Amino acid sequence: MTDISQSAAVPGTAPQRPAATLSARLARWLPRLVMAPSFLVVLIGVYLFIAWTLWISLSSSAMLPRYDFVGLEQYVRLWNTPRWHTAVINLFLFTGLFLAVTIALGLLMAILLDQNIRAEGVLRTVYLYPMALSFIVTGTAWKWVLNPELGVEKVVQSWGWDTFAFDWITRPETAIYCVVIAAVWQSTGFAMAIFLAGLRGIDSSIIKAAQIEGASLPRIYASIIVPLLRPAFLSVIVLLSYISIKSFDLVLALTNAGPGGSTEMPSTFMFAYTFQRNQMGVGAASAIMMLMTVAAIIIPYLYSELREDTHGH
Amino acid sequence: MATLDINRVRKAYGNLEVLKEVNISVGDGEFLVLLGPSGCGKSTLLNIIAGLEDITGGEVLIGNRVVNDLPPKDRDIAMVFQSYALYPTMTVRQNIEFGMKIRGIPAEERAKATNAAAEMLQMTGLLDRKPSQLSGGQRQRVAMGRAIVRHPDLFLFDEPLSNLDAKLRVDMRTEIKRLHQRLGTTIVYVTHDQIEAMTLATKVAVMKGGVVQHFGPPQEVYDRPANTYVARFVGSPAMNIIPGWLLASDGVPTVAFDTPQGEAVVRGVPLSAETAHRFAGRDVLVGIRPEHFGLDPSGTVPVGVDVVEPTGPDTLIVFAAGGTEVVARLEPFDAQVGRQERFSVKAEKVVLFDPATETRLD
């Protein structure tokens, strides 16, 4: 191959050679040139600040950054703060409920939508629409809906059911469930869309085969279809976990971490300690804790995804 | 094991009629092939037999029992799909046992049945693999194993070999034939491949546009096709249909057609005296299979060779006759394009069709 192309290129092509190598060099460098700005932005905006945050979390920074080294002192302080404990408990409570309810509802809706129903396109859009709203809008809207003076409680009482009470958002022990309700409302359509795509990818003759063998519809879903949705489950779980760990705007708009700090989440905690309470070191430590949690979820996921890719799946 | 009767079955989606009055009846242990191009309704008919689609009119009887309103699981059938339809998350063993598990068969019996089926299909070593780790032919075997352990009254095959490569298709065809010989179960088999139909079937139903064009044993379908559609669909290369005419002659039915080299005459074609009388002197379509031509210096068909296609065992000669292209399959000889030859025709194998209705004349 090389012999042939060289001998063919020799007669009369000598003057063109620099141009050819220039364009070859350009072709080699162009992708890197195009990628460079975004690479630079990510490098500085993400990784540099991760490193900086890590450093701050190991320093004695309070209101302003101080570049000394105090070891894990800020982490000790963090874990001795009751408010951080509330935040961690809330995170697990919120993530668990949010994932369970969103996945259950999303899967149910996807299965129902997959039964060859009429106006599927319209319904799909309706369910997916909350995803298009920002969490701020969702939080504000649900703050009104859940407010006993304005929302559901008021409406039901005005219908005549005077004793009806739905005041979860005003009570510290239940307020976190209101955050779950709003988050589920926003994300269920998204889970449904992923599950629906998974369902559409299943060969219908598999279902026919199971029917002929006498399997009931619930059995077909339980034994055959849901196991086939494993990749969809994985995607939904990872994406929702990450949404829930970084959920900040929703809590801020809906409850502002209240009442009485009862809906504090790691993200709101981090924001409050870093920028409002002049304890930058503790805030940075909490940020690093969140990063670790996200990494613990994302890294195995990426690993399994990339490994499957190299196996050609 | 059971008989299968399809009586005046109709199927319509709204105004679109996909099956029009289909009548098919096969005895116990027969191998029925539904043959036709895509869109002819053959798969719909199979789904109706399976109970996967509702019936618009008529009735389906399996073993003299009307099954119109029975769900698929109560029809005592097993089906093999074109895409194999294996459960991807289960191992081969779990795939085969799934149906038995649902029917509440104890684990011990399940294992016994699975092992027996695996042995019969020579896939004992595959039982613990997942379908994704199997080749196409192996997947097809698993699908057949899943059907066998059910011991059904009726096996349904929906284009089972279409996804396999040519070599494997021939092997699996033999396998299916052997399976039928061993089990003796009635089989309904859908395909668009006429060779599969010819090799496997005891009865063939050639379908087109939701209508059964010809229902009979494969040799009859091949030798005496009911109309020109069947004649052209079955056989490769297809039967030549040459516009010609019936000579008003002395008791021996004789047809003639034009070639650029002169008139060709074939004496002694099979035709009843009554039809011969009715069509005497009128146009007919002359159906001649390519292999029924022979190289013969004293033959009655003058031929100008247009194309020569040697296939190895035979040589195909393309020539013009009656305004169409005609293919003859001959023993290999020193054929030259442009040369004039003379062919003879096996007159007793010639089939005549009415040019108006395109149906066979007897």
Side-chain angles (χ1 to χ4, degrees), chain A residues 203 205-216 219-220 223-224 227-228 313, chain B residues 47 52 72-73 77 79 81 83 85-90 98-99 102-103 146 150:
Chain A
D203 178 7
S205 57
I206 289 178
I207 297 162
K208 286 186 193 169
Q211 269 177 350
I212 288 178
E213 297 207 89
S216 60
R219 180 76 186 254
I220 293 175
S223 300
I224 296 165
L228 273 176
H313 286 283
Chain B
N47 283 339
L52 295 169
K73 66 182 170 80
I77 52 171
M79 190 154 168
F81 293 85
S83 60
L86 302 179
Y87 313 129
T89 53
M90 301 185 195
F98 181 70
I102 283 170
R103 289 190 296 279
R146 198 169 63 177
R150 169 122 206 210

Side-chain angles (χ1 to χ4, degrees), chain B residues 15-171:
Chain B
N15 288 327
L16 180 70
E17 246 193 341
V18 292
L19 291 177
K20 301 164 192 161
E21 294 265 321
V22 172
N23 289 293
I24 292 173
S25 179
V26 292
D28 188 15
E30 290 220 64
F31 198 128
L32 168 67
V33 172
L34 304 176
L35 176 66
S38 45
C40 72
K42 58 190 192 300
S43 288
T44 307
L45 184 57
L46 192 75
N47 283 339
I48 284 176
I49 297 170
L52 295 169
E53 292 207 40
D54 294 333
I55 196 163
T56 308
E59 51 184 24
V60 175
L61 290 87
I62 298 175
N64 299 321
R65 178 173 63 137
V66 178
V67 296
N68 279 20
D69 298 322
L70 282 183
K73 66 182 170 80
D74 296 329
R75 295 189 179 197
D76 223 342
I77 52 171
M79 190 154 168
V80 175
F81 293 85
Q82 177 177 359
S83 60
Y84 322 126
L86 302 179
Y87 313 129
T89 53
M90 301 185 195
T91 63
V92 169
R93 183 184 292 283
Q94 287 166 334
N95 259 285
I96 295 175
E97 290 193 359
F98 181 70
M100 292 190 278
K101 220 182 226 172
I102 283 170
R103 289 190 296 279
I105 292 168
E108 212 171 286
E109 255 175 79
R110 288 205 303 259
K112 219 164 109 188
T114 304
N115 292 338
E119 215 152 283
M120 183 189 276
L121 294 167
Q122 292 150 28
M123 53 175 195
T124 330
L126 305 178
L127 284 175
D128 294 318
R129 297 214 200 151
K130 287 273 178 71
S132 59
Q133 297 167 306
L134 303 178
S135 69
Q138 288 170 331
R139 286 180 209 189
Q140 195 57 69
R141 257 172 236 268
V142 176
M144 274 159 51
R146 198 169 63 177
I148 289 171
V149 294
R150 169 122 206 210
H151 294 295
D153 276 350
L154 199 60
F155 273 122
L156 306 177
F157 286 88
D158 189 4
E159 308 214 20
L161 306 183
S162 300
N163 286 1
L164 303 178
D165 62 54
K167 164 89 175 71
L168 205 53
R169 202 177 302 167
V170 174
D171 294 347

Side-chain angles (χ1 to χ4, degrees), chain A residues 30-310:
Chain A
L30 195 62
R32 298 177 205 191
L33 277 174
V34 171
M35 289 305 290
S38 56
F39 179 76
L40 213 63
V41 166
V42 169
L43 190 71
I44 295 171
V46 177
Y47 293 100
L48 186 73
F49 280 97
I50 287 178
W52 189 72
T53 306
L54 184 64
W55 188 6
I56 294 291
S57 76
L58 297 172
S59 74
S60 63
S61 304
M63 193 169 116
L64 290 169
R66 205 179 297 154
Y67 299 106
D68 53 359
F69 181 77
V70 295
L72 293 177
E73 195 177 291
Q74 303 285 13
Y75 290 87
V76 175
R77 277 175 64 195
L78 174 71
W79 283 102
N80 283 327
T81 311
R83 211 176 164 107
W84 173 251
H85 288 184
T86 314
V88 171
I89 291 167
N90 275 344
L91 177 68
F92 281 106
L93 200 66
F94 172 75
T95 306
L97 277 172
F98 169 58
L99 252 69
V101 177
T102 306
I103 287 173
L105 277 180
L107 184 61
L108 183 70
M109 273 156 60
I111 288 172
L112 294 179
L113 266 187
D114 197 33
Q115 309 297 318
N116 276 328
I117 57 160
R118 209 179 305 170
E120 188 205 306
V122 176
L123 286 172
R124 220 167 42 202
T125 315
V126 167
Y127 290 136
L128 201 52
Y129 204 77
M131 196 70 193
L133 300 177
S134 83
F135 269 121
I136 297 285
V137 177
T138 305
T140 310
W142 278 94
K143 185 161 79 181
W144 294 335
V145 172
L146 295 167
N147 186 324
E149 311 289 315
L150 292 168
V152 179
E153 182 175 309
K154 176 90 173 12
V155 169
V156 176
Q157 284 182 355
S158 74
W159 287 342
W161 184 358
D162 293 335
T163 54
F164 178 81
F166 186 60
D167 54 354
W168 286 9
I169 200 164
T170 61
R171 286 163 39 198
E173 67 275 17
T174 51
I176 188 68
Y177 301 115
C178 293
V179 184
V180 173
I181 291 173
V184 165
W185 176 82
Q186 166 125 2
S187 303
T188 300
F190 165 71
M192 177 207 75
I194 292 185
F195 284 130
L196 192 59
L199 288 172
R200 289 288 147 83
I202 293 174
D203 178 7
S204 67
S205 57
I206 289 178
I207 297 162
K208 286 186 193 169
Q211 269 177 350
I212 288 178
E213 297 207 89
S216 60
L217 205 59
R219 180 76 186 254
I220 293 175
Y221 273 100
S223 300
I224 296 165
I225 295 179
V226 172
L228 273 176
L229 289 178
R230 203 187 75 101
F233 270 98
L234 204 62
S235 302
V236 169
I237 288 172
V238 167
L239 291 169
L240 292 184
S241 314
Y242 141 85
I243 287 177
S244 82
I245 291 169
K246 78 178 182 76
S247 64
F248 170 72
D249 33 11
L250 179 66
V251 182
L252 220 59
L254 188 64
T255 62
N256 196 11
S262 63
T263 55
E264 189 82 87
M265 296 283 267
S267 54
T268 55
F269 178 94
M270 185 272 292
F271 178 74
Y273 273 70
T274 310
F275 300 109
Q276 292 170 336
R277 294 179 172 222
N278 298 334
Q279 300 196 36
M280 198 175 256
V282 176
S286 70
I288 294 296
M289 294 310 302
M290 282 165 64
L291 177 70
M292 299 292 182
T293 318
V294 173
I297 297 168
I298 297 283
I299 289 174
Y301 171 70
L302 285 182
Y303 180 73
S304 76
E305 288 286 293
L306 295 176
R307 195 192 46 166
E308 275 188 12
D309 271 356
T310 57

